[in-house]
């Protein structure tokens, strides 16, 4: 429980997922735990592997920006990069996997 809380607080406060080069090893080092322990926490508590866990947070960040009036002048690719994705195709496929729609559809649906 202590490690789960530590991980969640770090993700919320520091947003490490915005770094497109973030690795399991980097995150484990930052949290002062082994990669094996972090991987177990992700698998058991969150029922996700590292990449799905990080991408979930990236998609949530992108979703917020897609509907935020402050980002209306930002194109979808700029939002993808600002959320930690490093390619448009990766962003589009992962976004659709988590939301069931494309980023463009999501943005259009929220402004309707």
């Amino acid at each position: 429980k202590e490690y789960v809380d530590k991980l969640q607080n770090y993700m919320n406060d520091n947003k490490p997922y915005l770094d497109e080069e973030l690795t399991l090893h980097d995150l484990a080092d930052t949290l002062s735990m082994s990669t094996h322990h972090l991987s177990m926490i992700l698998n058991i508590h969150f029922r996700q592997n590292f990449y799905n866990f990080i991408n979930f947070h990236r998609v949530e960040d992108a979703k917020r920006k897609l509907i935020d009036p402050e980002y209306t002048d930002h194109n979808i690719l700029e939002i993808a990069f600002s959320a930690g994705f490093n390619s448009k195709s990766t962003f589009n496929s992962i976004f659709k996997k988590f939301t069931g729609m494309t980023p463009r559809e999501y943005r259009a649906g929220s402004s309707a």
Side-chain angles (χ1 to χ4, degrees):
K1 173 89 173 100
E2 174 188 339
Y3 287 110
V4 170
D5 290 344
K6 185 176 183 179
L7 174 59
Q8 287 179 312
N9 290 336
Y10 186 74
M11 295 301 288
N12 293 334
D13 296 343
N14 298 291
K15 301 179 181 6
Y17 51 85
L18 298 179
D19 176 0
E20 66 188 40
E21 296 180 10
L22 180 68
T23 65
L24 177 67
H25 181 71
D26 294 338
L27 187 56
D29 276 355
T30 302
L31 296 171
S32 301
M33 64 177 78
S34 72
T35 54
H36 178 71
H37 192 187
L38 177 56
S39 187
M40 282 181 33
I41 290 169
L42 294 174
N43 289 321
I44 294 168
H45 185 79
F46 295 97
R47 299 193 190 301
Q48 293 181 318
N49 65 32
F50 172 75
Y51 293 103
N52 283 337
F53 180 75
I54 295 304
N55 284 331
F56 169 80
H57 285 281
R58 289 175 175 161
V59 167
E60 290 301 306
D61 188 80
K63 283 168 54 179
R64 281 190 296 276
K65 290 173 180 171
L66 286 167
I67 62 172
D68 187 333
E70 282 188 38
Y71 287 87
T72 53
D73 61 338
H74 290 73
N75 68 43
I76 290 174
L77 186 58
E78 289 173 318
I79 290 173
F81 288 145
S82 75
F85 289 96
N86 59 12
S87 84
K88 183 179 181 178
S89 60
T90 300
F91 173 62
N92 285 335
S93 64
I94 290 172
F95 192 93
K96 187 158 189 165
K97 173 184 168 187
F98 280 96
T99 65
M101 59 182 79
T102 67
R104 188 172 313 286
E105 290 168 341
Y106 186 85
R107 183 178 245 181
S110 66
S111 62

